[in-house]
Amino acid sequence: MLSLIHQLQHLLQVCFSNANLHIWIQQAKAAIPIVLSLRQSLQNRIKTREAINPSDLQTLEAHCHDWLNGIAEYGEGKPIAVHKLDALVTEWVVLYTLLHRQYSNIPFIGPVPELVKQYHSHQCMELLQQWREGRGNVPVHAMYDCCVQIVVRRLENDETLYFEQMHRVCQLIKMVTRLDCPTDSAGAERLLLLLLSENCNDPIFIAQAFDCWVNRAQDTQSLTETLEYWLEIEQHILIWQQEQKPALYPHKQGCGAALLALVQKEREKLQLWQQPCLAAVSDDKLHRLNTRLTLSELAIIMRLLQETGVLQHRVMMDYFRSWAQWVQTGTNKPIAAESLKSRYYQPEPSALRKVKDLLLEMRNKLAEW
């Protein structure tokens, strides 16, 4: 095996010291049988568990590294040369991958070469594409795009990616594509749980996972039920956080810790919201805000405030309950949150016309100031 490494070293020196494209390609192709022989020798020794000198492995890995980086640099601006060497690039990538997977205990030299990242990124993207195409033209859940973005950000854009981290992403994508492609909430839930268990702490996924929970929280029927929902989510995180794997991004906060902080912040916000509501219920002398608007007109104003971002509330039923609690129309009759909700989503034409007149009146008033 050592003699093969020396032969390879000589060919590499000749190859990369030659500026003539034709000779360069010939010398590069001459290395293919050596690369294949080295790979076969490694596989045989792995099978028989024969020990190999760590320094020989480090030398071979360094040659892989130099060769792959050399192709990337030499082939820049020379697409014909790179195209002709596609087969050789593949053989080098396979040899490089075999070295790192079977001898992970050996301290190798550094980050993954660009061509290796491109090779594995292409494989992952093909897997994801086939996964999606298997569902036909059915729109997929946003969780699918999370997986695509993880490949792009980790395998294509991360300049200091080490082999263990790259291998982790590739294994994650393989696990993901064994699930059904998420086209509904149930499929998205399975994918979400898999990425949580794998400690996928990519910011895009963390934001998407939290948004999924927020959307479900909107289906709760009361503020108390919403708080109980978030408490249940928090307990689930604490349970699987005890058994989660190392983070996908080692230098960033783990998935569990990041999501736990978001959930706790959401709970604290709801608890603060709950305090004045509870005080209002117990206060018999509460002075409500009076309005000359009808219930339908009030619902339209509420929708304008929410959809233009003047007010921002995620749990819509609590939004309706708050207005029903604090506002009183000219009829002096209690406002039902369900009635507000109905008129909010199905505005009456006559109420729309009156609100348009009101907004014009407000605009004229503003011009006088």
Side-chain angles (χ1 to χ4, degrees):
M1 180 170 168
L2 191 56
S3 63
L4 289 171
I5 293 175
H6 289 322
Q7 290 178 47
L8 189 60
Q9 184 177 8
H10 173 70
L11 272 176
L12 289 176
Q13 288 171 348
V14 173
C15 187
F16 289 109
S17 63
N18 202 310
N20 183 286
L21 180 61
H22 180 69
I23 297 174
W24 189 87
I25 292 174
Q26 281 186 331
Q27 294 293 330
K29 286 183 176 180
I32 294 178
I34 302 174
V35 174
L36 292 172
S37 297
L38 279 167
R39 198 172 86 198
Q40 187 61 52
S41 177
L42 268 179
Q43 288 171 334
N44 290 339
R45 293 184 182 216
I46 291 165
K47 191 179 295 184
T48 59
R49 298 186 179 180
E50 182 182 345
I52 304 177
N53 190 329
S55 64
D56 291 345
L57 292 171
Q58 288 172 323
T59 302
L60 180 56
E61 197 268 354
H63 288 333
C64 289
H65 211 276
D66 292 343
W67 175 252
L68 288 161
N69 283 337
I71 291 177
E73 292 172 12
Y74 192 91
E76 190 173 356
K78 304 182 185 74
I80 296 176
V82 174
H83 174 72
K84 288 184 178 180
L85 289 170
D86 273 349
L88 179 59
V89 170
T90 301
E91 294 301 337
W92 274 107
V93 170
V94 173
L95 178 59
Y96 179 91
T97 304
L98 179 66
L99 269 173
H100 278 269
R101 287 188 63 181
Q102 296 297 330
Y103 299 99
S104 57
N105 59 320
I106 303 294
F108 290 126
I109 65 172
V112 176
E114 192 63 34
L115 287 177
V116 177
K117 290 194 293 182
Q118 290 176 12
Y119 176 85
H120 287 285
S121 173
H122 180 70
Q123 283 194 329
C124 287
M125 286 298 196
E126 277 195 339
L127 277 174
L128 287 171
Q129 187 63 29
Q130 290 168 6
W131 185 48
R132 178 170 185 165
E133 287 173 354
R135 302 297 298 171
N137 294 323
V138 180
V140 295
H141 195 272
M143 291 293 292
Y144 169 84
D145 293 323
C146 274
C147 297
V148 173
Q149 286 302 312
I150 288 168
V151 173
V152 171
R153 287 154 61 93
R154 204 73 174 114
L155 299 190
E156 296 180 14
N157 296 340
D158 194 332
E159 295 179 358
T160 57
L161 185 69
Y162 287 83
F163 182 84
E164 294 79 7
Q165 298 160 4
M166 182 192 73
H167 182 60
R168 177 86 185 279
V169 175
C170 295
Q171 291 301 105
L172 180 65
I173 297 303
K174 285 179 182 177
M175 284 190 284
V176 162
T177 52
R178 291 189 191 111
L179 301 174
D180 288 335
C181 192
T183 56
D184 54 21
S185 57
E189 175 72 13
R190 286 191 290 274
L191 178 53
L192 187 148
L193 290 175
L194 171 63
L195 295 177
L196 287 176
S197 67
E198 290 296 316
N199 200 359
C200 176
N201 60 333
D202 190 288
I204 291 178
F205 166 67
I206 289 172
Q208 184 60 45
F210 186 66
D211 282 346
C212 283
W213 290 337
V214 167
N215 291 336
R216 286 185 213 141
Q218 292 185 5
D219 294 332
T220 55
Q221 299 301 312
S222 67
L223 185 57
T224 302
E225 189 179 330
T226 308
L227 281 165
E228 288 175 355
Y229 168 80
W230 284 114
L231 180 60
E232 186 179 344
I233 292 291
E234 183 178 315
Q235 289 171 342
H236 283 313
I237 293 174
L238 290 170
I239 290 170
W240 57 253
Q241 195 177 17
Q242 296 173 2
E243 301 177 356
Q244 68 182 354
K245 298 180 181 180
L248 189 66
Y249 291 79
H251 59 285
K252 292 185 179 181
Q253 187 180 40
C255 185
L259 283 167
L260 194 61
L262 290 171
V263 169
Q264 288 174 341
K265 187 177 179 181
E266 188 72 14
R267 282 187 59 217
E268 288 169 5
K269 184 175 70 175
L270 290 169
Q271 285 167 344
L272 287 172
W273 182 258
Q274 188 182 43
Q275 289 173 6
C277 291
L278 292 173
V281 171
S282 61
D283 188 359
D284 295 333
K285 298 180 179 179
L286 175 67
H287 295 289
R288 292 180 174 83
L289 297 173
N290 291 311
T291 177
R292 63 182 175 86
L293 299 175
T294 65
L295 192 61
S296 296
E297 293 162 5
L298 176 63
I300 293 169
I301 294 293
M302 287 170 55
R303 185 165 176 176
L304 284 172
L305 293 173
Q306 177 74 10
E307 293 189 359
T308 56
V310 176
L311 297 179
Q312 297 177 332
H313 203 82
R314 289 183 171 181
V315 183
M316 293 307 296
M317 277 310 298
D318 287 329
Y319 183 61
F320 301 134
R321 290 190 193 95
S322 299
W323 281 83
Q325 181 71 40
W326 289 96
V327 178
Q328 183 172 280
T329 62
T331 61
N332 291 329
K333 291 180 181 179
I335 296 176
E338 287 294 339
S339 298
L340 269 178
K341 177 183 176 182
S342 174
R343 288 166 173 77
Y344 182 97
Y345 291 112
Q346 296 179 328
E348 295 178 0
S350 59
L352 280 170
R353 288 193 294 271
K354 289 185 179 179
V355 169
K356 286 177 183 176
D357 292 340
L358 174 61
L359 293 175
L360 182 60
E361 181 183 337
M362 294 170 72
R363 182 179 177 181
N364 293 337
K365 179 62 69 177
L366 187 62
E368 296 174 5
W369 294 353

